């Protein structure tokens, strides 16, 4: 933590409306628990470039914040969990994974049409190869265009008529209070979200035991288990956060032979060819305490079905 015991906890974040809104929820929760906190805005490579994330690389939104954390310029980093590389950082700890916001993707269309109503040739913008691949796989004849920029600028391209629709994370719209623009929340059967979509990673230095303890109070175990399973699929496929891989896990209630209710983890994943010519899907259910192993098992099944060629295709 910062050097003075009475100083506020410094929460590092990107400067976009969505990022600062997300980080403020953590600062507010810490303050409410008796630990005053303030935001520190950090510019990242992803903010400075207009190129697609797939080109500028994994970690573009997180590296600068992690550097600030290591340099003791901030005490806590708040990330959109899906932006983090899957490789662990030994000197940093994700001390809290708060309750997740709706992980689904959302369609925002100019004429209020749902996905199945968009005429062939409609121009749909998306930032993610995963979304583009799954949209093409639906065979609706849509023209998919790459999209960068903050949520407001993406929504503006629909309002101005430059695009007929965009697909974005519904969680982002929830957090900035813009859910009224959502035309359709896309069922995971139609489009599996990015691993960890809708979740935050609250990170601090591993050697700051007191702060690890404080942040742990914000952790939601069910969300953490789901995220660990989803990201385990991604890691085992050796795919980055821009790969055309979708995954979603949730803790569900099951009933045993004696009629007792118990919790299990349900995990689904898909890998899509970028041109939409193929989608490989698989699912698994197992103990919540085996989240990482379930992800590895599901990835192995996907690889047996040929997912490796789709993940590594140019």
């Amino acid at each position: 933590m910062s050097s003075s015991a009475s100083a506020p906890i410094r929460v590092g974040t990107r400067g976009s409306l969505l990022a600062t809104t997300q980080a403020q929820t953590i600062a507010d929760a810490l303050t409410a628990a008796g630990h005053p906190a303030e935001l520190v805005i950090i510019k990242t490579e992803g903010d400075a470039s207009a190129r697609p994330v797939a080109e500028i690389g994994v970690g573009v939104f997180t590296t600068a914040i992690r550097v600030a954390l290591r340099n003791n310029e901030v005490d806590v980093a708040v990330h959109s969990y899906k932006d983090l590389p899957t490789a662990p950082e030994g000197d940093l700890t994700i001390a809290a994974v708060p309750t997740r916001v709706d992980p689904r993707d959302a369609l925002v269309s100019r004429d209020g049409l749902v996905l199945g109503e968009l005429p062939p040739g409609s121009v749909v913008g998306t930032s993610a190869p995963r979304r583009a691949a799954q949209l093409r796989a639906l065979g609706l004849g849509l023209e998919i265009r790459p999209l960068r920029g903050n949520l407001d600028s993406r929504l503006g391209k629909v309002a101005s008529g430059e695009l007929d629709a965009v697909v974005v994370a519904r969680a982002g719209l929830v957090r900035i209070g813009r859910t009224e623009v959502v035309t359709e929340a896309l069922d995971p059967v139609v489009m599996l979200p990015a691993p960890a979509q809708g979740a935050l990673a609250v990170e601090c230095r591993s050697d700051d035991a007191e702060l690890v303890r404080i942040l742990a109070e914000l952790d939601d175990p069910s969300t953490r288990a789901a995220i660990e399973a989803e990201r385990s699929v991604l890691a085992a496929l050796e795919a980055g956060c821009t790969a055309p891989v979708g995954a979603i896990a949730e803790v569900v209630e099951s009933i045993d032979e004696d009629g007792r209710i118990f919790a299990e983890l349900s995990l689904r994943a898909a890998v899509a060819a970028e041109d939409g010519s193929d989608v490989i899907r698989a699912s698994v259910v197992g103990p919540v305490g085996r989240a990482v192993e379930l992800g590895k098992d599901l990835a192995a099944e996907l690889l047996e079905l040929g997912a490796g060629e789709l993940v590594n295709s140019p």
Side-chain angles (χ1 to χ4, degrees), residues 14 44-46 58-68 77-85 203:
R14 294 171 58 202
T44 72
E45 184 182 354
V58 174
V60 293
F61 295 123
T62 58
T63 301
I65 301 174
R66 282 178 152 175
V67 168
V78 178
H79 310 284
S80 287
Y81 210 148
K82 68 184 177 69
D83 292 337
L84 284 177
E203 190 172 49

Side-chain angles (χ1 to χ4, degrees), residues 22 62 66 78-86 94 96-98 195-202 223-224 227-228 231 241:
Q22 290 176 166
T62 58
R66 282 178 152 175
V78 178
H79 310 284
S80 287
Y81 210 148
K82 68 184 177 69
D83 292 337
L84 284 177
T86 53
I94 296 172
V97 184
Q197 187 158 294
L200 300 180
V202 184
T223 297
R224 183 181 282 269
I227 300 313
E228 287 179 348
R231 284 175 58 84
C241 62

